[in-house]
Amino acid sequence: MSVMAKYVRIFWPDPKDEDVNRRNAAVVAVQAWISAFDDPWTAIRLASALADGVADGKARDEFATTVEQAIVGAGSAAFVREDHDLENIVVALVSALNLVRREPGALGWTPVDALAAGLWSALSFQSPIVEEPIELLRQEVLVAARERTMLIAERSRKRAPVPEIGPLALPEAQPTGPRANTAYRKATEPLVKALRENAELDREELEFLWWTIEDWSDALEGRRSDADPLVRAVIAGVDGASKLRRLPASGHRNVVLRGVPAGSPATLTALLAALEDHRATLAKSIDAGRVGQAATVFPLHTAIASGNANRAGADIERDARDWGGRALLEGGILQVATLRGG
């Protein structure tokens, strides 16, 4: 199946079959590069760079050189990245789209999972692109990234079945003591792994439930339910995300936004003004250096940490529930990246 046939006309009005085949090969190479990331945080930074490229049409170094090498390696020896930003961005986006649409694995936090979460956060904050072809591709990536992230959030909370202790196999070549220890460890490893994973999910549920019942925010120095809806939504999103050990699911969003009415539209600048002194308190809980490495994935957290609202999408008015949902999503991605690698 040709993954580029649908999209190559974004940058080539009349492509030839050979051109499409070469770009298909380039997509395969770029996907292999992304799949080989050993650090999910690299994928989050890539998501930020891709979203930046979509917004202003300039291919970023985080992916442009790799895409150039992939296109050259696929048989287009004369290709250079200069003056080919749109082609570079499209090849990178299609590579990401095809990866994100694949069935997620059981781990729940692979580089592709991190890429999907980052793309959902980054692209959903942007204004639509004027050029329709690239905007349609952007929307496809956004929808696919959101669907994968929501699926991962639900699946990652399923309890693992606890197996029976396996048979004890004692190799004759080892002394009795080490043989017994090794055999016991191998026999009980699946059981212990399942118990640990389930205990982690139990702990998450308990901490999130207690936080919900407590209805208290250190940033507010008071009850969340007494705060202005806009302020309450954002602080609840940030605080709620800190209790999670997996990406936030729809149930977490419903709890965080419980009691927050629709309305109170505000731009990012107006939101920072509404937070007033609470912004500085919230900023202490945010790793400014880290979110700054992927500021387009974390536009709200970056603005809270820096006090600067100068970024693409900041002038869009969003209601309190949208801001609260964004605070939870960004905080959840950051939390999982910190706890599970990245």
Side-chain angles (χ1 to χ4, degrees), residues 41 44 109 117-118 120-122 124-125 234 237-238 241-242 244 247-248 268 271 286 291 294-305 311 318 322-338:
W41 187 254
I44 292 174
W109 190 242
W120 179 19
S121 179
S124 62
F125 195 75
V234 171
V238 173
S242 69
L244 302 181
L247 291 170
L268 183 55
L271 171 60
I286 297 173
V291 297
T296 308
V297 171
F298 305 104
L300 176 56
H301 277 63
T302 301
I304 291 174
R311 62 197 68 258
R318 311 168 204 265
D322 289 335
W323 281 118
R326 168 153 293 279
L328 178 65
L329 175 60
E330 290 185 20
I333 295 171
L334 193 59
Q335 177 78 348
V336 174
T338 300

Side-chain angles (χ1 to χ4, degrees), residues 7 18 32 39 52 57 64 76 97 108 121 124 127 131 149 152 204 217 241 254 266 288 296 301 311 314 332:
Y7 308 103
E18 184 181 8
D39 179 5
D52 286 336
S76 298
L97 174 62
S121 179
S124 62
S127 301
E131 293 78 10
T149 303
I152 292 167
E204 180 194 61
S217 171
N254 293 337
T296 308
H301 277 63
R311 62 197 68 258

